[in-house]
Amino acid sequence: MKEYNKSNIPLAKALRKNMTPWERKLWYNFLRNYPIRFQRQKTIGNYIVDFYCAKAKLVIEIDGGGHYTDEQIKKDEYRTKELKGMNLSVLRICNLDIDRNFSGVCESIDLAVKESLPQSALLTAPSSEGA
């Protein structure tokens, strides 16, 4: 189990209740029923990540317009480096992709999960075809 900053728990709970439209779409239309468990607004280290799959060691971050300023790009790069230092993969997805290519986003998440899991874990997971 990953270490986390307990003081982030109230904020994580608030973020779960107030998901962005893009987070809500990805959660309710794909991740919530994905055959391998994902958690939303998960505290890891000093961070709260948008979505996390412990089995696949995969973090999914949904990036809105605020993530494309020079300052935020640097913060996100540092955050990604820190998470990778915890032996996690980080998949960044922009809101526009969720709006314009939702099925492609779902396919890339499915591929990232499958690439990170041992074959034996894939054999026991129900197929996610048609998701």
Side-chain angles (χ1 to χ4, degrees):
M1 184 166 192
K2 299 282 175 214
E3 291 294 316
Y4 63 93
N5 182 341
K6 288 178 177 52
S7 66
N8 279 337
I9 290 175
L11 178 57
K13 286 181 179 180
L15 289 170
R16 268 181 231 126
K17 288 179 182 166
N18 298 296
M19 289 192 290
T20 68
W22 301 276
E23 290 169 343
R24 193 174 293 116
K25 181 176 182 176
L26 186 59
W27 178 251
Y28 286 106
N29 296 337
F30 185 66
L31 294 177
R32 182 175 69 160
N33 295 316
Y34 191 75
I36 296 165
R37 181 174 184 247
F38 271 88
Q39 294 170 278
R40 54 196 171 119
Q41 304 303 337
K42 174 72 175 158
T43 55
I44 299 175
N46 286 316
Y47 302 107
I48 300 171
V49 301
D50 292 332
F51 300 101
Y52 176 62
C53 177
K55 217 174 214 182
K57 296 182 180 174
L58 177 66
V59 168
I60 299 173
E61 290 286 86
I62 309 299
D63 293 345
H67 284 267
Y68 300 103
T69 64
D70 288 343
E71 183 182 345
Q72 192 60 47
I73 288 169
K74 286 181 181 133
K75 285 182 181 177
D76 287 345
E77 286 172 353
Y78 180 79
R79 176 185 172 105
T80 296
K81 183 180 170 190
E82 290 274 302
L83 292 166
K84 285 184 175 183
M86 295 179 215
N87 200 27
L88 300 173
S89 298
V90 179
L91 184 60
R92 301 195 84 86
I93 299 168
C94 76
N95 290 349
L96 204 56
D97 286 336
I98 291 174
D99 283 340
R100 294 187 178 171
N101 186 18
F102 188 69
S103 63
V105 166
C106 296
E107 285 174 30
S108 65
I109 292 169
D110 187 49
L111 184 62
V113 169
K114 287 177 178 170
E115 285 177 347
S116 68
L117 290 176
Q119 281 305 116
S120 59
L122 295 175
L123 296 174
T124 59
S127 172
S128 61
E129 294 297 319

